[in-house]
Amino acid sequence: MTRQQMLLTMNLFLLTFVLGTSEFVIVGLLTEVSSDLNITISTAGALVSVFAISFAIGTPIFTAIFSRLSKYPLMLALIGVFIVGNLITAVSSSYELLLFSRIITAIVTGVLISLAMAVASEAVSSERRGTVISIIFAGFTIASVIGVPLGTYIGQWRGWHMAFWFTSLLGIASLIASSASIPKGLKGSKSSFKKQIGLLTHSRIIIAFLIPALSIGATYTVYTYLTPLLQKVISVPDQYISLVFLLYGVVSVFSTLIGGKLAARNGIAKLRYVFLVQAAILISLYFSSNSIVGGLISISLIALVVYTMNSTMQLYFLDLADQHFPSAKDLASSLTPVSVNVGIAIGSSLGGVVTTSMELIDVSWIGGIIAIAASILTFVSYNLDKKTLVDSRLSA
């Protein structure tokens, strides 16, 4: 890569790190928020759900609306709105204002992620795309390892408001870096909003969209309830639970990097079997949870495969858009993170049903079944690719 491409990659990594820290830091501060605003912990927890829903709904709509605009000024403007959203969160003294600021931040976060992926895809060569996109996605995993714990510590030390002064400061750093590294010549696409949204109704896109949603949903069926699993099933002492989450975060970084290698050449073919491996690992927790060592090995392996599909699916959406909706590539760039957020909602909800009506450890094999469903859809999509390729050769 050239020096300018390396600077751009590092800046986009910083951007996703900042976005990830802002999105997830509130999870560690729900108790402080509920106490300060005199609301229940479940009401405070709704901030997380509302963020995910706003992200999933707002991202494709606003990405389609903004797709006609040049990317350089658009990204700088949206980072500015992100900073303002975090500042409003930092000064919020009511639940209503806090909720409003998180909705605004969620929508801007989603659009910025899709633009970051689109910029990376356009600015680097095709053989480098998988590696660069995996580095950008790694910003989120590094945020879970460093940014979120640091933000949580600041919030517990000086009050939860201070955590969002911290994310605002990170946003300013990202704005400065973006102004210096984002290429100024990347134009928008001249396409109507109707044509953009038409991408979402195409059968191939719908099938592809469900693949990461099911894969992440499989993991979050377990991950959402990891703390009670560690406490009640695996019997990890409470003082070591935070270390297990740290272990999970560190291993998941390697998951993203492995995903970049998979995406380098025909990643969708490899994912068919990766999801089967994921299913086996999730199911293994059912049998390994009777010992601390066995349980931690299964949890580490869950983290090792959780993000392996990100880079491949990001490129796959772009390739499908190239084939069927060339003017909707920016919108296609948003579909992986949107699908992931849908998967988080699916997994956490399904896990809740399982823990209510079955044994806690049953989330493991239920998650495994969901991963098998992701593999089946990947086989379907891969076979459709082969059929399309054969048809195009026959017609040539």
Side-chain angles (χ1 to χ4, degrees), residues 73-93:
L74 176 60
M75 287 191 72
L76 295 188
L78 290 174
I79 295 172
V81 175
F82 170 83
I83 295 168
V84 171
N86 278 268
L87 288 173
I88 295 174
T89 302
V91 301
S92 295
S93 57

Side-chain angles (χ1 to χ4, degrees), residues 7 20 58 78 102 151 180 197 204 283 335 389:
L7 288 174
L78 290 174
R102 295 301 286 169
I197 294 298
R204 295 297 309 280
I283 294 171
L335 295 183
L389 182 61

Side-chain angles (χ1 to χ4, degrees), residues 133-146:
I133 286 174
S134 70
I135 293 172
I136 296 170
F137 271 121
F140 284 103
T141 51
I142 297 295
S144 68
V145 176
I146 299 175

Side-chain angles (χ1 to χ4, degrees), residues 25 60 63 76 92 105 152 181 226 230 267 269 276 301 312 317 343 387:
V25 71
T63 299
L76 295 188
S92 295
T105 306
T152 301
S181 64
L226 187 55
L230 292 170
L276 291 178
L301 292 174
T312 291
F317 281 124
K387 184 178 183 300

